[in-house]
Amino acid sequence: MTILIALVPMLAWGSIGLVSGKIGGDANQQTLGMTIGAFLFSLVLFITLQPTITPWICLIGFLSGLFWSVGQNGQFHGMKYMGVSVGLPMSTGMQLALNTLAGAVFFHEWTQTRDFTIGILALFFLVFGAYLTARQDDEKEKTGRFYDFGKGFRALIFSTIGYGAYTIIITWAELDPLAIILPQSMGMIVGASMFAFKKVTIDSFVWKNMASGLLWGIGNICMLMTVQQIGLAIGFSLSQMGIIISTLGGIFILGESKTKKEFRYVILGCFMVIIGGLLLGYLKAA
């Protein structure tokens, strides 16, 4: 059952880039709309379940939300410059490396030689698979309305730092996932508003992007519950298998062009991500 819950973020988060890409708007509008949607989802969940909230939970949750806004804004910028089918897999690989190593090293979630052997092998498949899905044909002309690899990569570095802090601080504090999501969503809105200040026109793009916030909220609560039960290294890694959905969706739904060589890279990369996910599932079950 835990593994099934762990796969919900894969479906929900893997669809976010596709939904926001279809809706449109700039990166700041997408981030702001998404945070409003996530806040409404968290508010409804809080009113329904009424978890206990303390000042410490409010502080950690708020800081986590601020870090998330840095991560999400950077990821949206990365996808704007590189495309969903390139930017999101690359972002995923960078996050996987940071969070998996943090879980294994700092939180001592891997204690036996078997854990490190299978875990590192799984991480290799996941990261290399993410690399292949993002790899481009050397002979392909790098043109397009959004293509700028340098700017996209720099945006993803900041994104990875923000996303890493968002999950690591919660794991460190060992707090109830149901209690933390409301203050976390408040931090998200404050952070997104700071990025959007004097830069965003509040129009239909912002309100429509609330749909991606609903997807994020569903994925977030399932990811936090999973991390609490099976650890950051495995729980977060399983949640990031959504790159299969985002990569193939970017090609077939958003119409991002791929050469035959690039498409072969994508298929091979997706298979490697699946193998990595299966290895992590085995590591949890063994």
Side-chain angles (χ1 to χ4, degrees):
M1 186 64 181
T2 300
I3 297 297
L4 292 178
I5 295 175
L7 294 179
V8 172
M10 176 191 79
L11 298 173
W13 288 353
S15 303
I16 287 175
L18 305 179
V19 172
S20 61
K22 270 294 185 182
I23 291 173
D26 62 31
N28 292 319
Q29 287 176 313
Q30 290 173 326
T31 304
L32 183 59
M34 186 175 176
T35 54
I36 294 173
F39 171 74
L40 293 177
F41 172 83
S42 301
L43 185 61
V44 171
L45 200 63
F46 175 78
I47 293 173
T48 303
L49 301 177
Q50 297 184 353
T52 301
I53 293 184
T54 65
W56 177 244
I57 290 176
C58 288
L59 175 62
I60 296 299
F62 187 83
L63 289 175
S64 172
L66 284 179
F67 286 129
W68 175 91
S69 67
V70 174
Q72 187 61 57
N73 189 266
Q75 189 181 81
F76 275 138
H77 275 93
M79 290 190 294
K80 285 293 183 182
Y81 289 125
M82 306 162 79
V84 174
S85 62
V86 174
L88 196 53
M90 185 170 291
S91 173
T92 298
M94 295 164 73
Q95 291 178 61
L96 281 168
L98 177 60
N99 282 278
T100 302
L101 292 176
V105 176
F106 297 120
F107 300 121
H108 308 292
E109 294 170 358
W110 296 348
T111 57
Q112 303 176 24
T113 302
R114 177 190 64 87
D115 297 336
F116 280 94
T117 301
I118 298 176
I120 292 174
L121 184 61
L123 181 61
F124 167 78
F125 277 110
L126 289 167
V127 173
F128 193 64
Y131 161 75
L132 287 177
T133 59
R135 184 174 176 180
Q136 292 191 297
D137 190 340
D138 294 334
E139 298 177 0
K140 181 179 179 181
E141 185 180 1
K142 306 302 190 295
T143 59
R145 61 183 175 82
F146 47 63
Y147 188 83
D148 190 321
F149 184 87
K151 288 184 178 180
F153 186 73
R154 287 192 294 273
L156 292 184
I157 290 176
F158 286 104
S159 174
T160 302
I161 295 171
Y163 272 144
Y166 140 69
T167 51
I168 290 171
I169 191 175
I170 294 177
T171 305
W172 168 76
E174 299 181 339
L175 300 177
D176 179 8
L178 295 175
I180 205 170
I181 58 171
L182 183 60
Q184 184 184 63
S185 66
M186 294 177 179
M188 291 163 57
I189 285 187
V190 171
S193 300
M194 290 170 62
F195 283 114
F197 185 65
K198 294 184 178 180
K199 297 179 182 178
V200 170
T201 301
I202 306 298
D203 56 18
S204 61
F205 288 126
V206 173
W207 306 123
K208 289 179 180 178
N209 270 292
M210 289 169 58
S212 61
L214 175 61
L215 288 172
W216 184 86
I218 294 172
N220 182 55
I221 186 62
C222 290
M223 190 274 290
L224 293 177
M225 292 172 64
T226 302
V227 166
Q228 188 180 59
Q229 295 178 32
I230 62 178
L232 178 64
I234 298 177
F236 182 82
S237 296
L238 286 174
S239 74
Q240 296 305 297
M241 288 178 64
I243 61 171
I244 298 172
I245 298 172
S246 58
T247 301
L248 295 179
I251 297 170
F252 294 112
I253 298 176
L254 301 182
E256 297 176 355
S257 63
K258 294 287 182 182
T259 66
K260 290 183 179 180
K261 183 183 291 186
E262 287 174 338
F263 193 72
R264 287 196 294 268
Y265 290 149
V266 166
I267 297 301
L268 180 58
C270 287
F271 275 117
M272 294 190 73
V273 169
I274 292 172
I275 293 172
L278 291 174
L279 284 172
L280 289 174
Y282 170 77
L283 181 59
K284 168 57 185 173

